[in-house]
Structures are given as C-alpha cells and as structure tokens.
Amino acid sequence: MTTPPTRQHTGRLIAAVASIAVVAVAVGGAIAYRQGPEPATTSYAAPLGGSPSLTPSSTPTPTPPPVVPATKTPLAKPSLTPSSTPSKTPQPPSGPVALEAAKLTQGQVPQHAYQFNRTVLGSGKELKVPTSDSLMDVARLGSGVLATTAGGELLKVDSAGAVVRRTPNVMTLTGTADQSAAAYATTPPVVVGQQTYGATLYADTGASQKSLELPDVQSIHVLAYAKGTIYYKASVKGAERTLKLYAWTPGAAKPTLVKTVTGDVMAVSSDGRLASALPANNTGDGCSTVVEIATGKKRFKTCDYRIAGFTPDGAVAIGTPAYGDSYCSNIVTALDSRSGAVRNQWSGCFYRAVAEDEQHLLMVAVVAGGGQDPNTKLTVVRCTLDTAACERATAVLSTSLIDFAR
C-alpha cells in the first residue's frame, strides 16, 4: 500500500449481508442481560437500558423505611450441599449477534465525539462547522473543534462556532483521548505527473503550537497522539513504496523511526502500547499482526480480520473483515488483544466501529440503503463487550454519513 488512506469510514464488505433481520431474537435475548444504571460521574458510558436523556432528574428519591424482621426466629444454618440452581451470570453468545438496528431500544447518546451533517456532537458541546464543503475528519480540542474538509482545508472552530483559523493542504488529523491536544500534517498540493515531497507535522494544544519540518516525506498519515507522543506513518524519498512508523515528541528536533513495528501500520492504541500492521509493500496479504511497540513482541496474527483499533486500555482489539469490496463491513469482531481469541461478534452492515470506553463499542450501522443511495438511513449502535447486548445511541437518521472523531 503506497498511499495512506485519508478516510476509513467506508469499510469494505467481505460478502453481501443476507440475514440481518431474521435473527433479531438473538439480540433480544442478549439485551435481557442489561446492567442497571451507573452513577452519572462514571468515566464509562451509561449501561445498556439507561435513559437516553442526559438531564438528571430533579425529583429526590425517597429513602425506603428500615426493614424490621417479622420474628426473632434464628436464621437457618446454610446448607453445605452445592446448589443446583444454574448461575444467572450473563454469558456472551457463542456466535455473531445479528443486529436489526432500527428495532433496538434507545440508550444514552454517544460519549465519543462524532459528526453528522457538518455538526460535531458527543463528548462536549454541539458545534456546527460553518462550511459548505463536506467534512472529512474531526477532533475536539478543548471547547472547540478541528475539522478537515474534502478540499483539504483545516478549520479551527471556537466554542461559539466561529472559524478562528484556516490551514490549507491538511488531509490527516487526530486528537488525544482527553481532547487536550491534536496532531495534523500539511503537505504540498499534488501536481499530476510530478513527484512531490515534504510535510510539516503540527502539535496543537489550542493555546500553543509546535511543528516539525519533514522535507523528504512523500506520504504521511497521523495515526495517534498518545501519552505525549505523536505516531505517524510515512514514506520517504528513495523508498516511496514503503510505509514506516515514526514517533515524535512535540518539541524534539527530529522524529524517531519505530523499528519494533514493521509493515503498513493501521492503528495505534490510545495508550501508545500496541500497534496493528499489515504486511509491507502492498503484498496483498490481508493478515493483521498486533505488536507491542516498546518491545516488538508479536501478540497475535489474524488473517480473518483487519485490526482497526483498540479499547483505551488496550485489552480488546477491534476487527473488521480482512478483505472486502463494498461500502460496509458485514461483521465487527472484538478480539482479546493478547491471544487474538474472539470475544464477541456482531453481523450487519457497518461503516465504522470505535471503542467508546473499556466496556463498550460504538458502530455506525446501516438501517436502510447504503453507499450512494440517497435514501440511506444510519444510526449509531452501542454494544457491550461483556454480553454483546446492544442498543441505539442515536435516532435513526436520514443521512449517508455519520463518522466518529479521530
């Protein structure tokens, strides 16, 4: 693969989806195991079955009266014989859960930022990006937003919704998990028939900005801004067909080549510990390898799934089909990031999947249409990693694009 992808929200399909609607009973059975409400101060998303409203109730909850024993009869001694009653602990399903997204119950809105119709929602104030162009990538930065357009312009939008800066020739953008900083790169305009080189990598905290000149770079794609380090892949002059992983600490005079990870890196975990990579030089081998960045230790290799991301703690790897030729992925898989064992799977038609937190995945699911169909309807689905139970995190929306912030 010679040129890093600038968009990843139109996933590829291994095979046409044939049975989304006929097994909704499996989803209903999984939803029966939903947890009870968590406190509003938790760092995790509201559990399945929680109220879709974020407004706390103003009605105080009455304190129940103390329970008084009816008699003073001593409690019976516990039996030493093991109970034959089966455990009620929910167990994940043994196969893929087929999602009929339109029929799922409505839960809490996404706690991960996402864009819809040039508006950024979730994990902060709703902000409209004032442009007539289509948005590509978005990232929250403090109380504002950074957004790249289809024309390659980066717009910095403040908390009032006003554009305070425009940067041309930006096609790659990502932000930190805590929304305190963002990284992006500018490249020269492409000239047909000519080789163009050079890029400038930026680290932006909103209050300050640092940059690094990369004169020999031909292609660059920012992957992650994790633990104070920006990870990006790039090809350089003399090795245009080979993408390598680099790390840059903002303020340092030069980047560092990450020699422990080889191949075309597709994802770096938000804690900076893990990377997934495809084979180098576009060999056609779709097998993904998960590697520890610090040591180069290979966790596992899979030829069934393309590892597209990780949960924030790095415990779960998110897989989509290794091969496909359509506009969506027909299955999303949660794998143990140490062994590669499948934990849960969901079948349907999905544009993109990300981790909302350590316990939940968010997936953009096609309800109707898809691709370039003008009648396409989408929704964001939340699924728990423990039981595979799912709910809708947004209404069903008439749109051809919902995408998550980077």
Side-chain angles (χ1 to χ4, degrees):
M1 183 171 182
T2 61
T3 303
T6 59
R7 304 294 300 141
Q8 296 183 13
H9 55 262
T10 52
R12 294 188 293 272
L13 178 65
I14 297 178
V17 178
S19 58
I20 300 175
V22 295
V23 283
V25 175
V27 179
I31 293 176
Y33 293 121
R34 293 178 295 196
Q35 307 168 8
E38 289 181 0
T41 56
T42 179
S43 60
Y44 299 119
L48 300 178
S51 170
S53 172
L54 296 180
T55 304
S57 171
S58 60
T59 304
T61 303
T63 303
V67 177
V68 180
T71 69
K72 295 185 179 180
T73 303
L75 296 175
K77 291 183 179 181
S79 171
L80 298 180
T81 304
S83 171
S84 60
T85 304
S87 171
K88 294 183 179 180
T89 303
Q91 297 296 322
S94 58
V97 174
L99 296 186
E100 193 170 4
K103 294 185 178 180
L104 295 176
T105 57
Q106 183 84 34
Q108 186 178 352
V109 297
Q111 302 304 289
H112 189 290
Y114 66 102
Q115 59 150 310
F116 163 63
N117 282 353
R118 303 184 186 88
T119 300
V120 180
L121 308 98
S123 191
K125 179 181 177 182
E126 179 178 322
L127 283 175
K128 180 80 172 181
V129 179
T131 180
S132 59
D133 208 348
S134 299
L135 298 187
M136 300 295 283
D137 294 332
V138 299
R140 286 198 181 272
L141 180 59
S143 58
V145 162
L146 296 179
T148 57
T149 69
E153 185 176 42
L154 176 75
L155 304 177
K156 184 175 184 179
V157 181
D158 65 15
S159 59
V163 176
V164 296
R165 190 178 74 228
R166 296 176 182 269
T167 305
N169 304 319
V170 177
M171 299 299 291
T172 179
L173 166 70
T174 192
T176 58
D178 63 2
Q179 304 176 2
S180 64
Y184 57 91
T186 60
T187 54
V190 175
V191 179
V192 177
Q194 295 183 16
Q195 295 276 21
T196 57
Y197 298 94
T200 304
L201 182 61
Y202 291 91
D204 193 340
T205 66
S208 64
Q209 189 179 84
K210 295 179 180 179
S211 62
L212 176 69
E213 295 295 329
L214 302 168
D216 294 332
V217 164
Q218 183 181 55
S219 301
I220 184 170
H221 184 75
V222 181
L223 294 163
Y225 197 161
K227 301 293 185 180
T229 299
I230 297 171
Y231 294 91
Y232 68 93
K233 62 181 177 180
S235 62
V236 297
K237 187 180 297 185
E240 288 84 356
R241 293 181 58 83
T242 302
L243 290 164
K244 294 183 178 182
L245 180 65
Y246 297 86
W248 177 56
T249 301
K254 59 182 181 179
T256 300
L257 173 65
V258 181
K259 297 180 180 180
T260 55
V261 183
T262 59
D264 183 4
V265 178
M266 303 305 295
V268 172
S269 62
S270 59
D271 59 7
R273 293 191 299 119
L274 300 176
S276 70
L278 299 174
N281 299 327
N282 195 21
T283 62
D285 180 356
C287 302
S288 287
T289 302
V290 172
V291 182
E292 295 179 3
I293 294 176
T295 64
K297 178 182 177 181
K298 292 178 173 57
R299 290 277 187 91
F300 70 89
K301 180 179 179 180
T302 174
C303 297
D304 295 321
Y305 313 105
R306 175 168 294 189
I307 304 304
F310 303 90
T311 52
D313 59 1
V316 175
I318 304 169
T320 57
Y323 300 95
D325 57 2
S326 188
Y327 58 84
C328 67
S329 300
N330 70 332
I331 198 165
V332 170
T333 304
L335 303 98
D336 185 289
S337 67
R338 290 197 172 275
S339 65
V342 173
R343 292 184 49 169
N344 280 306
Q345 290 183 309
W346 299 269
S347 63
C349 183
F350 308 107
Y351 277 178
R352 191 159 172 251
V354 299
E356 187 177 31
D357 52 40
E358 283 85 357
Q359 299 176 353
H360 303 89
L361 296 186
L362 294 174
M363 297 176 275
V364 177
V366 177
V367 175
Q372 301 302 314
D373 188 334
N375 299 313
T376 295
K377 293 183 178 180
L378 306 176
T379 187
V380 176
V381 172
R382 173 185 293 112
C383 295
T384 177
L385 292 169
D386 290 334
T387 66
C390 299
E391 67 185 7
R392 282 190 292 107
T394 69
V396 176
L397 303 170
S398 296
T399 180
S400 60
L401 174 63
I402 301 175
D403 196 14
F404 299 113
R406 304 294 168 175

